[in-house]
């Protein structure tokens, strides 16, 4: 329909008269002026909002995929996470060590990571930025304006042996 104003044939509630499509509506008739969004593609009708927790989870998973990243989060959050991981039925928190700000079109991400001893930290940070930006932009469509990587610890190979329970002194 090429007209921008449509006046459907309608019966008036008082007289039962039909206006005959003359363009003048009887009382109680409906007038449509254009069709809201009908001329727009379906994908553009409406609004999409993305919660912070969505970006947190995507960024957390993408960070953990990078070789050289041992863990995420500060000391206290890692300790609590280790306890949670040992509880039967408990789920690990993929968002540990991730903070985000999400706007309508953009997001900024802060990451706290623990790297393996011996890996070049600048290379790991670079790879983390690339992987996080690619994943968040691909999955959410948001523009990632920055990814700040804070390396707050280095995992040493001896740290694994300390948990084995062997005491130095009997």
């Amino acid at each position: 329909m090429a007209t921008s104003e449509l006046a459907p044939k309608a019966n008036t509630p008082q007289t039962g008269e039909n206006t005959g499509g003359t363009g003048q509506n009887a009382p109680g008739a409906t007038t449509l002026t254009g069709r809201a969004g009908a001329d727009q593609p379906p994908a553009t009708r409406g609004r999409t909002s993305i919660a912070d927790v969505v970006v947190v989870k995507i960024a957390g998973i993408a960070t953990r995929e990078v070789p050289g990243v041992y863990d995420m989060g500060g000391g206290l959050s890692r300790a609590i996470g280790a306890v949670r991981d040992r509880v039967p039925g408990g789920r690990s928190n993929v968002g540990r060590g991730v903070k985000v700000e999400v706007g309508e079109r953009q997001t900024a991400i802060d990451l706290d990571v623990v790297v393996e001893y011996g890996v070049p930290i600048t290379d790991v940070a670079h790879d983390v930025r690339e992987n996080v930006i690619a994943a968040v932009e691909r999955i959410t469509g948001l523009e990632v304006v920055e990814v700040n990587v804070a390396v707050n610890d280095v995992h040493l190979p001896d740290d694994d042996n300390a948990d084995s329970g062997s005491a130095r002194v009997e």
Side-chain angles (χ1 to χ4, degrees):
M1 304 208 167
T3 60
S4 63
E5 184 171 304
L6 302 175
K9 294 181 180 180
N11 290 332
T12 60
Q14 292 86 2
T15 62
E17 256 177 37
N18 189 328
T19 60
T22 61
Q24 295 179 350
N25 290 333
T30 303
T31 302
L32 300 175
T33 55
R35 291 201 255 164
D39 57 341
Q40 300 296 319
T44 62
R45 298 182 204 169
R47 185 172 160 253
T48 303
S49 62
I50 298 171
D52 293 5
V53 70
V54 173
V55 177
V56 165
K57 288 181 178 183
I58 294 167
I61 292 169
T63 300
R64 285 176 173 80
E65 291 174 344
V66 175
V69 173
Y70 175 75
D71 202 359
M72 295 184 64
L76 180 61
S77 70
R78 286 196 327 266
I80 293 170
V83 170
R84 183 183 306 173
D85 292 344
R86 290 181 187 159
V87 173
R91 293 185 295 153
S92 62
N93 182 3
V94 296
R96 182 174 65 231
V98 182
K99 296 179 190 90
V100 301
E101 291 180 41
V102 179
E104 289 185 22
R105 290 183 222 109
Q106 297 177 326
T107 185
I109 302 168
D110 296 325
L111 304 168
D112 290 330
V113 299
V114 178
V115 298
E116 296 280 351
Y117 175 78
V119 297
I121 293 174
T122 54
D123 292 349
V124 172
H126 178 267
D127 293 345
V128 165
R129 278 190 193 91
E130 281 188 345
N131 204 40
V132 168
I133 289 170
V136 170
E137 288 184 346
R138 179 178 47 84
I139 295 170
T140 67
L142 294 169
E143 176 189 3
V144 179
V145 294
E146 68 180 4
V147 175
N148 299 312
V149 179
V151 178
N152 57 28
D153 201 358
V154 174
H155 178 257
L156 302 173
D158 294 343
D159 291 346
D160 291 334
N161 296 337
D163 293 337
S164 66
S166 61
R168 197 172 116 172
V169 179
E170 288 186 35

